[in-house]
Amino acid sequence: MNNIFKIIIQFFLKWLAKIYLWRVQPYVIIVAGTTNRHWIKEAVIEELKNKGLSVRGNRKNFNAEIGLPLSILDLPSGEGSFSGWLGILYKALKIILSPYKSAHIVLEMAIDRPEDMDYLLSIVRPNAVILTTITMIYRENFEDLGEIALEYRELVKALPKDGLLLLNFDDQRIKDLAKFASCRALTYGLNEGADYWAENIKKITMGQQFEINGAFIKINRFGKHHIYAKIAAHAIRSEKF
């Protein structure tokens, strides 16, 4: 896809996604940070589906300028095909003109350079935000971790007063973003002191078991990132739904 064509597609997808959001008014949960977005998104979707809610998330890794609108509209990519993208735009028009029902959308939001967050927030505004970590994975575009944190500060400030902010207690830069929130700000993590935290973590034959605020949990996966995902999802389910 050449640059001019990409700009045109990006423009139309942005506005079609904005119209869809205006019509449907879904409850939007944004998962952002430099690591573990995917697993937290999947865990939140699973928890909300278990509650009987209508919920969906990003297709594949569609989480930036073009991918985010596609995820909002629940459409695939047109890849490098001109006719393919025309077909996607046609489907998007049909979607925004069709009867609809409100739903919950859990979206990963990815940045890789300064001011990316401003553009993504011009497409969608969150009802709830889950922040993971701030690590130096964008060395070529950001000077330091503090500059990356500025991007996530904009996301926090975009939350409404009746929104919900969930911060990783074990990442100090993430935790410090609470002071920019005008809504409830809660924490999750592996250390005591978080609002939602895991303890008594043990490996078992098929995965891991632990407790979250007294609730006994088993997961069929290994690794701390999966524990973080389960804590965040448990918090969202407990607080809002």
Side-chain angles (χ1 to χ4, degrees):
M1 193 190 319
N2 64 49
N3 285 338
I4 295 176
F5 184 49
K6 180 179 178 180
I7 291 170
I8 293 170
I9 293 298
Q10 185 173 318
F11 173 82
F12 280 108
L13 284 175
K14 172 182 176 177
W15 285 99
L16 289 167
K18 286 172 69 71
I19 292 169
Y20 174 84
L21 292 168
W22 172 72
R23 290 194 72 227
V24 176
Q25 297 291 309
Y27 189 93
V28 177
I29 301 171
I30 297 295
V31 182
T34 54
T35 64
N36 207 22
R37 294 187 307 265
H38 171 77
W39 294 112
I40 288 181
K41 177 200 70 179
E42 292 299 312
V44 170
I45 289 173
E46 181 181 11
E47 287 283 352
L48 298 185
K49 283 184 175 178
N50 288 341
K51 293 270 295 188
L53 297 172
S54 174
V55 57
R56 60 182 174 83
N58 304 68
R59 285 174 174 253
K60 299 181 181 178
N61 61 341
F62 293 178
N63 53 29
E65 293 91 343
I66 289 179
L68 190 65
L70 288 174
S71 292
I72 291 167
L73 295 163
D74 198 23
L75 288 170
S77 170
E79 304 296 342
S81 166
F82 179 79
S83 60
W85 280 110
L86 288 180
I88 294 300
L89 293 178
Y90 175 70
K91 289 178 181 178
L93 280 170
K94 289 179 67 176
I95 287 170
I96 66 173
L97 294 174
S98 299
Y100 65 89
K101 63 178 181 178
S102 186
H104 300 79
I105 307 179
V106 185
L107 297 170
E108 293 179 54
M109 191 176 273
I111 59 165
D112 62 14
R113 57 181 55 84
E115 299 185 8
D116 272 0
M117 189 62 72
D118 287 337
Y119 180 80
L120 297 178
L121 288 171
S122 74
I123 300 172
V124 58
R125 309 292 279 191
N127 298 100
V129 167
I130 305 170
L131 288 176
T132 64
T133 58
I134 296 175
T135 58
M136 202 63 190
I137 65 172
Y138 311 122
R139 295 181 183 276
E140 68 277 16
N141 295 324
F142 290 96
E143 291 185 5
D144 52 36
L145 294 174
E147 192 176 14
I148 298 174
L150 291 176
E151 295 293 300
Y152 298 121
R153 184 177 73 180
E154 295 307 307
L155 178 58
V156 168
K157 290 166 67 175
L159 280 162
K161 289 184 178 180
D162 63 348
L164 177 63
L165 175 62
L166 191 58
L167 301 167
N168 183 353
F169 183 80
D170 304 329
D171 186 306
Q172 189 61 48
R173 285 185 174 83
I174 289 290
K175 191 165 61 169
D176 287 346
L177 293 173
K179 61 189 174 187
F180 299 104
S182 61
C183 63
R184 282 187 305 153
L186 301 171
T187 56
Y188 70 100
L190 299 182
N191 293 309
E192 186 174 358
D195 294 296
Y196 290 88
W197 63 290
E199 60 180 334
N200 300 323
I201 300 169
K202 296 178 182 178
K203 288 184 180 180
I204 56 177
T205 304
M206 298 299 292
Q208 300 175 94
Q209 66 180 34
F210 45 91
E211 294 178 43
I212 302 174
N213 294 29
F216 183 75
I217 305 290
K218 275 186 179 182
I219 57 174
N220 296 324
R221 296 180 185 277
F222 293 98
K224 286 185 178 179
H225 56 296
H226 291 300
I227 300 176
Y228 275 108
K230 192 65 178 181
I231 305 168
H234 181 89
I236 287 290
R237 174 173 174 158
S238 299
E239 288 296 323
K240 183 63 188 178
F241 301 99

